[in-house]
Amino acid sequence: RLLKGVEKLRETSIKVAEMKVQLKAEVAVASDAKAAAENLLAELGRETASVEEHKRKAQEEQELIGKIKKEVDLQQGEYEKELKSAEPFVLAADDAVKNLDKKSLIEMKSFQVPPKEIEMVAAAVMVLLNCAVTDEDGAGSDGEKKSDISWNAAKKRMARVDVFVRELMTFDKD
């Protein structure tokens, strides 16, 4: 019986030694898995911080967009009021253009020095028709085209009365 007991102890000792080797291998694998999990957790933390930063920036931009939208809506309301108040003048100007006749235009362009009111209306028409007559090099001192809205330029524009009246009739008021 004693021999059996000793034999059992040896077998158990061998099994314990094998289990120790197996345990060391499993501890190494677990240690590697733990390190990988910690690295993954650290990366997840960095990604979460990055996402939170992007989310914060997006929220700030959304708030800025909201402020800008309020300003635009306010300005749009003001512009619509101004447009509505200008509408009767546009209709009156449209009626006046419809009542233009060649004889009146020919008489008007015959003035060497027109009354100030006619000169102002002619200058406004030149601006609206976008008559860009430039100086000799084709541009102003700031590099942009200058409009010649003088009485002489207006008379040149009215030289062909039929064409001028057609331009006024077909002018896009919008």
Side-chain angles (χ1 to χ4, degrees):
R1 251 173 95 166
L2 192 54
L3 284 172
K4 274 189 172 184
V6 170
E7 187 60 33
K8 278 282 187 195
L9 280 174
R10 265 190 226 147
E11 286 175 8
T12 304
S13 181
I14 291 171
K15 282 186 181 180
V16 166
E18 288 173 355
M19 289 172 90
K20 281 183 180 182
V21 170
Q22 187 179 7
L23 180 62
K24 269 187 179 179
E26 287 179 5
V27 166
V29 169
S31 179
D32 289 345
K34 180 182 175 187
E38 287 172 351
N39 288 339
L40 189 59
L41 188 59
E43 179 66 25
L44 183 61
R46 287 189 296 275
E47 291 293 324
T48 301
S50 176
V51 166
E52 289 299 320
E53 179 64 17
H54 282 47
K55 190 175 176 182
R56 183 189 61 75
K57 286 181 181 177
Q59 182 64 31
E60 287 174 359
E61 288 179 9
Q62 191 67 29
E63 289 171 5
L64 180 61
I65 289 170
K67 288 178 184 176
I68 291 171
K69 185 180 181 326
K70 284 180 184 177
E71 288 176 23
V72 166
D73 289 345
L74 181 65
Q75 286 178 350
Q76 182 180 3
E78 290 173 9
Y79 293 148
E80 286 175 359
K81 282 182 189 176
E82 288 178 23
L83 186 61
K84 207 165 208 55
S85 68
E87 200 169 335
F89 298 109
V90 171
L91 293 174
D94 197 33
D95 286 342
V97 167
K98 287 177 185 172
N99 292 324
L100 275 178
D101 61 2
K102 281 185 188 182
K103 182 180 171 192
S104 299
L105 285 173
I106 291 170
E107 179 185 343
M108 185 175 75
K109 72 178 190 169
S110 71
F111 291 131
Q112 291 301 315
V113 179
K116 195 68 176 167
E117 294 82 5
I118 291 177
E119 191 173 357
M120 288 174 42
V121 170
V125 169
M126 294 294 283
V127 168
L128 290 173
L129 292 179
N130 211 8
C131 300
V133 178
T134 60
D135 56 13
E136 54 278 346
D137 68 351
S141 60
D142 57 1
E144 293 185 24
K145 294 203 175 232
K146 289 188 205 174
S147 293
D148 184 357
I149 59 171
S150 69
W151 175 245
N152 287 333
K155 285 194 323 185
K156 286 179 189 173
R157 186 68 182 237
M158 291 185 282
R160 294 178 51 205
V161 175
D162 291 337
V163 173
F164 183 69
V165 170
R166 193 173 323 115
E167 279 183 300
L168 293 176
M169 296 283 194
T170 59
F171 178 71
D172 182 11
K173 293 171 273 311
D174 295 325

